[in-house]
Amino acid sequence: MNRHDIRLLQAVRLYPSVTITSPTHRTTPDNKQDPIRVRNLVTEATNRLLAEFSRRDVEPLLSRLEALVNDIDYRYTLDGLALFVNRDIGRQFILPFTLPERVVVDETFWTRSLVFALNRTPRYWVLALSEQPTRLFEGVREHLQEITGEGFPMTHTGPGGERGLPNDPAINRSAYRDERHRQFFRQVSAALTPFITDDPLPLALVGIDRYIAFFREVSPHAGAVITTLTGSHDKTPAQELGKLVWPLVEQNLAVLRAGALKELEAAVGAQKYASTIGEVWRFAHEGRVSVLLVEENYHQPARIAADGVTLTLVDDPTLPDVVDDAVDEIISLVLEKGGRVVFVDDGALPQHQRIAVILRY
């Protein structure tokens, strides 16, 4: 799941729409209880629907939900499961982060916990460049999930790809083939645009040197490239590819974190920064945050004043009118307003009380 998926789900307005989330487990014996847990949540959702509608009215929804649940292969689940179902839509996501047990029946799908989990998870795109075909993956640590649909996977069907090169001695076959590859990778770049626009994650390129060079030459997304894995990986399964790519991404993410801390030092000298959660909250609401730096395990429940810009920190997140985690709210707000978020090691921002921002102005 990525922010592109979430935006599509958030656009849905149809009652009843059912969201079911549950933790799952990767190994035995913990995963033995996962089917029972999920089935209990499905029963809860069914009972809530039948308390409000006749079975005939919600039969298409219940049938779609049953089909989704029957399709779960618990041998390959990860840390969380999310199901989104109404009479028109049925989506299942196997996720590499944990989720709470929850059933929500509403006009909209419930995506809040997924948004916050995505915000705190090191994610990246992987574009495996090839003629047959170019594949797009969403990466979470070493786990890769292939994106299918909306243009991917993409096969080079033109001359030099599935079709042979023209047999004309007047044509420079090498130059002709290269130009057709450039055209193909322009198409790949265009297909990538909605994903990287909705979810501007670092990009890892995989492929032979020529393909990587062509993509860098023609794509406006070349600046998002964080690392490359050279070689032919047309047939490499996602599981193996993730194990090869993630160490390279992890190494370069560490470089980005170090660079962000240096940027913060410069911003402090130029008086273009803010520290402490209360000040950061205010500037985030004003849309003035260019870069947010936050320690990885910093969480803080808080109460938001009526003016929307004043925070009162509390210790108990279960109190009335308390936001479970104001840090997560800040992260989402900064991303929505086009800012960048960098997680740093715990203890890296002691003088800023664990959170700081570089201001646009």
Side-chain angles (χ1 to χ4, degrees), residues 9 12 17-18 60-61 63-69 71 82-93 109:
L9 291 170
V12 173
S17 290
V18 177
L61 188 159
S63 296
R64 183 170 282 114
L65 177 58
E66 187 68 20
L68 281 181
V69 172
D71 196 42
L83 304 174
F84 301 92
V85 187
N86 59 30
R87 71 183 184 208
D88 298 329
I89 295 172
R91 298 290 302 274
Q92 173 204 116
F93 295 94
F109 290 123

Short mmCIF file of all heavy atoms in Angstrom, two decimals, residues 9 12 17-18 60-61 63-69 71 82-93 109:
data_model
loop_
_atom_site.label_atom_id
_atom_site.label_comp_id
_atom_site.label_asym_id
_atom_site.label_seq_id
_atom_site.Cartn_x
_atom_site.Cartn_y
_atom_site.Cartn_z
N LEU A 9 -8.71 5.33 -2.01
CA LEU A 9 -9.67 4.88 -1.00
C LEU A 9 -10.37 6.06 -0.33
O LEU A 9 -11.57 6.01 -0.06
CB LEU A 9 -8.96 4.03 0.06
CG LEU A 9 -8.45 2.66 -0.40
CD1 LEU A 9 -7.56 2.05 0.66
CD2 LEU A 9 -9.61 1.73 -0.74
N VAL A 12 -13.54 7.62 -1.94
CA VAL A 12 -14.79 6.87 -1.97
C VAL A 12 -15.79 7.47 -0.98
O VAL A 12 -15.46 7.72 0.18
CB VAL A 12 -14.54 5.38 -1.65
CG1 VAL A 12 -15.85 4.63 -1.51
CG2 VAL A 12 -13.67 4.75 -2.72
N SER A 17 -19.57 1.51 3.73
CA SER A 17 -18.22 1.07 3.35
C SER A 17 -17.58 0.47 4.59
O SER A 17 -17.57 1.10 5.66
CB SER A 17 -17.39 2.23 2.82
OG SER A 17 -17.86 2.67 1.57
N VAL A 18 -17.04 -0.73 4.45
CA VAL A 18 -16.51 -1.48 5.60
C VAL A 18 -14.99 -1.52 5.54
O VAL A 18 -14.40 -1.86 4.50
CB VAL A 18 -17.07 -2.92 5.61
CG1 VAL A 18 -16.45 -3.72 6.76
CG2 VAL A 18 -18.58 -2.89 5.72
N PRO A 60 -24.32 -8.24 -2.02
CA PRO A 60 -23.13 -8.03 -2.86
C PRO A 60 -21.88 -7.66 -2.04
O PRO A 60 -20.78 -8.13 -2.34
CB PRO A 60 -23.54 -6.86 -3.77
CG PRO A 60 -25.03 -6.95 -3.82
CD PRO A 60 -25.45 -7.39 -2.45
N LEU A 61 -22.07 -6.86 -1.01
CA LEU A 61 -20.94 -6.48 -0.15
C LEU A 61 -20.44 -7.69 0.62
O LEU A 61 -19.22 -7.94 0.69
CB LEU A 61 -21.37 -5.36 0.80
CG LEU A 61 -20.31 -4.68 1.67
CD1 LEU A 61 -20.81 -3.30 2.12
CD2 LEU A 61 -19.92 -5.49 2.88
N SER A 63 -20.71 -10.83 -0.08
CA SER A 63 -20.08 -11.80 -0.98
C SER A 63 -18.67 -11.36 -1.35
O SER A 63 -17.74 -12.18 -1.40
CB SER A 63 -20.92 -11.97 -2.25
OG SER A 63 -22.18 -12.51 -1.95
N ARG A 64 -18.51 -10.06 -1.59
CA ARG A 64 -17.18 -9.55 -1.92
C ARG A 64 -16.24 -9.69 -0.72
O ARG A 64 -15.07 -10.05 -0.87
CB ARG A 64 -17.29 -8.09 -2.36
CG ARG A 64 -15.96 -7.49 -2.80
CD ARG A 64 -16.14 -6.14 -3.44
NE ARG A 64 -16.60 -6.26 -4.81
CZ ARG A 64 -17.79 -5.87 -5.25
NH1 ARG A 64 -18.65 -5.31 -4.41
NH2 ARG A 64 -18.12 -6.01 -6.51
N LEU A 65 -16.74 -9.41 0.47
CA LEU A 65 -15.93 -9.55 1.68
C LEU A 65 -15.52 -11.01 1.88
O LEU A 65 -14.36 -11.31 2.19
CB LEU A 65 -16.70 -9.04 2.89
CG LEU A 65 -16.03 -9.18 4.25
CD1 LEU A 65 -14.68 -8.46 4.29
CD2 LEU A 65 -16.94 -8.65 5.36
N GLU A 66 -16.45 -11.92 1.68
CA GLU A 66 -16.15 -13.34 1.85
C GLU A 66 -15.09 -13.80 0.85
O GLU A 66 -14.18 -14.57 1.19
CB GLU A 66 -17.43 -14.17 1.67
CG GLU A 66 -17.27 -15.64 1.99
CD GLU A 66 -17.03 -15.90 3.47
OE1 GLU A 66 -17.35 -15.02 4.30
OE2 GLU A 66 -16.50 -16.99 3.79
N ALA A 67 -15.18 -13.30 -0.39
CA ALA A 67 -14.20 -13.67 -1.40
C ALA A 67 -12.81 -13.16 -1.03
O ALA A 67 -11.81 -13.86 -1.22
CB ALA A 67 -14.63 -13.12 -2.76
N LEU A 68 -12.74 -11.94 -0.49
CA LEU A 68 -11.44 -11.38 -0.08
C LEU A 68 -10.82 -12.23 1.04
O LEU A 68 -9.62 -12.53 1.00
CB LEU A 68 -11.61 -9.95 0.42
CG LEU A 68 -11.74 -8.84 -0.61
CD1 LEU A 68 -11.87 -7.49 0.10
CD2 LEU A 68 -10.54 -8.82 -1.55
N VAL A 69 -11.64 -12.59 2.02
CA VAL A 69 -11.12 -13.36 3.15
C VAL A 69 -10.68 -14.75 2.70
O VAL A 69 -9.63 -15.25 3.14
CB VAL A 69 -12.20 -13.46 4.25
CG1 VAL A 69 -11.75 -14.41 5.37
CG2 VAL A 69 -12.49 -12.08 4.83
N ASP A 71 -9.43 -15.49 -0.01
CA ASP A 71 -8.25 -15.35 -0.85
C ASP A 71 -6.97 -15.11 -0.03
O ASP A 71 -5.88 -15.09 -0.58
CB ASP A 71 -8.45 -14.19 -1.82
CG ASP A 71 -7.46 -14.21 -2.97
OD1 ASP A 71 -7.20 -15.31 -3.51
OD2 ASP A 71 -6.92 -13.14 -3.33
N ALA A 82 -5.37 -5.32 5.95
CA ALA A 82 -6.44 -4.33 5.82
C ALA A 82 -7.37 -4.75 4.69
O ALA A 82 -6.92 -5.09 3.60
CB ALA A 82 -5.86 -2.94 5.55
N LEU A 83 -8.67 -4.72 4.97
CA LEU A 83 -9.70 -5.05 3.98
C LEU A 83 -10.62 -3.84 3.83
O LEU A 83 -11.06 -3.25 4.82
CB LEU A 83 -10.53 -6.26 4.43
CG LEU A 83 -9.76 -7.55 4.74
CD1 LEU A 83 -10.73 -8.60 5.30
CD2 LEU A 83 -9.08 -8.08 3.49
N PHE A 84 -10.90 -3.48 2.57
CA PHE A 84 -11.79 -2.35 2.28
C PHE A 84 -12.86 -2.84 1.31
O PHE A 84 -12.55 -3.27 0.20
CB PHE A 84 -11.01 -1.19 1.65
CG PHE A 84 -9.90 -0.67 2.52
CD1 PHE A 84 -8.61 -1.18 2.40
CD2 PHE A 84 -10.14 0.32 3.47
CE1 PHE A 84 -7.58 -0.71 3.20
CE2 PHE A 84 -9.12 0.79 4.27
CZ PHE A 84 -7.84 0.28 4.14
N VAL A 85 -14.13 -2.77 1.74
CA VAL A 85 -15.20 -3.38 0.95
C VAL A 85 -16.45 -2.50 0.99
O VAL A 85 -16.85 -2.03 2.05
CB VAL A 85 -15.56 -4.78 1.49
CG1 VAL A 85 -16.56 -5.46 0.57
CG2 VAL A 85 -14.33 -5.65 1.66
N ASN A 86 -17.05 -2.28 -0.17
CA ASN A 86 -18.43 -1.84 -0.27
C ASN A 86 -19.05 -2.55 -1.48
O ASN A 86 -18.48 -3.52 -1.98
CB ASN A 86 -18.55 -0.31 -0.33
CG ASN A 86 -17.81 0.30 -1.52
OD1 ASN A 86 -17.66 -0.31 -2.56
ND2 ASN A 86 -17.36 1.53 -1.34
N ARG A 87 -20.18 -2.08 -1.94
CA ARG A 87 -20.85 -2.83 -3.01
C ARG A 87 -20.09 -2.74 -4.34
O ARG A 87 -20.31 -3.55 -5.23
CB ARG A 87 -22.27 -2.32 -3.20
CG ARG A 87 -22.36 -0.95 -3.83
CD ARG A 87 -23.78 -0.47 -3.94
NE ARG A 87 -23.85 0.81 -4.63
CZ ARG A 87 -24.78 1.71 -4.44
NH1 ARG A 87 -25.73 1.48 -3.54
NH2 ARG A 87 -24.79 2.84 -5.12
N ASP A 88 -19.19 -1.74 -4.45
CA ASP A 88 -18.46 -1.53 -5.71
C ASP A 88 -17.00 -1.92 -5.65
O ASP A 88 -16.38 -2.14 -6.69
CB ASP A 88 -18.55 -0.06 -6.14
CG ASP A 88 -19.98 0.38 -6.41
OD1 ASP A 88 -20.78 -0.47 -6.83
OD2 ASP A 88 -20.28 1.56 -6.17
N ILE A 89 -16.41 -1.96 -4.44
CA ILE A 89 -14.95 -2.09 -4.28
C ILE A 89 -14.64 -3.22 -3.32
O ILE A 89 -15.32 -3.38 -2.30
CB ILE A 89 -14.34 -0.78 -3.75
CG1 ILE A 89 -14.52 0.34 -4.77
CG2 ILE A 89 -12.86 -0.95 -3.41
CD1 ILE A 89 -14.11 1.71 -4.24
N GLY A 90 -13.59 -3.95 -3.61
CA GLY A 90 -13.04 -4.92 -2.68
C GLY A 90 -11.53 -4.92 -2.79
O GLY A 90 -10.99 -5.33 -3.82
N ARG A 91 -10.84 -4.45 -1.76
CA ARG A 91 -9.38 -4.38 -1.80
C ARG A 91 -8.80 -5.03 -0.55
O ARG A 91 -9.31 -4.84 0.57
CB ARG A 91 -8.88 -2.92 -1.86
CG ARG A 91 -9.31 -2.13 -3.08
CD ARG A 91 -8.65 -2.59 -4.35
NE ARG A 91 -7.19 -2.54 -4.29
CZ ARG A 91 -6.47 -1.46 -4.57
NH1 ARG A 91 -7.06 -0.32 -4.91
NH2 ARG A 91 -5.16 -1.51 -4.52
N GLN A 92 -7.74 -5.79 -0.75
CA GLN A 92 -7.03 -6.44 0.35
C GLN A 92 -5.57 -6.00 0.31
O GLN A 92 -4.96 -5.96 -0.76
CB GLN A 92 -7.12 -7.95 0.20
CG GLN A 92 -6.28 -8.74 1.20
CD GLN A 92 -5.94 -10.13 0.68
OE1 GLN A 92 -4.79 -10.46 0.46
NE2 GLN A 92 -6.97 -10.95 0.47
N PHE A 93 -5.01 -5.67 1.47
CA PHE A 93 -3.61 -5.28 1.55
C PHE A 93 -2.92 -6.09 2.65
O PHE A 93 -3.38 -6.11 3.80
CB PHE A 93 -3.46 -3.78 1.86
CG PHE A 93 -3.98 -2.88 0.76
CD1 PHE A 93 -5.27 -2.40 0.79
CD2 PHE A 93 -3.16 -2.55 -0.32
CE1 PHE A 93 -5.75 -1.59 -0.22
CE2 PHE A 93 -3.63 -1.74 -1.33
CZ PHE A 93 -4.92 -1.25 -1.29
N PHE A 109 -13.98 4.96 3.88
CA PHE A 109 -13.08 3.97 4.45
C PHE A 109 -12.22 4.60 5.52
O PHE A 109 -11.85 5.78 5.44
CB PHE A 109 -12.19 3.36 3.36
CG PHE A 109 -12.93 2.49 2.39
CD1 PHE A 109 -12.89 2.75 1.02
CD2 PHE A 109 -13.65 1.38 2.82
CE1 PHE A 109 -13.56 1.95 0.12
CE2 PHE A 109 -14.33 0.57 1.93
CZ PHE A 109 -14.30 0.85 0.57
#
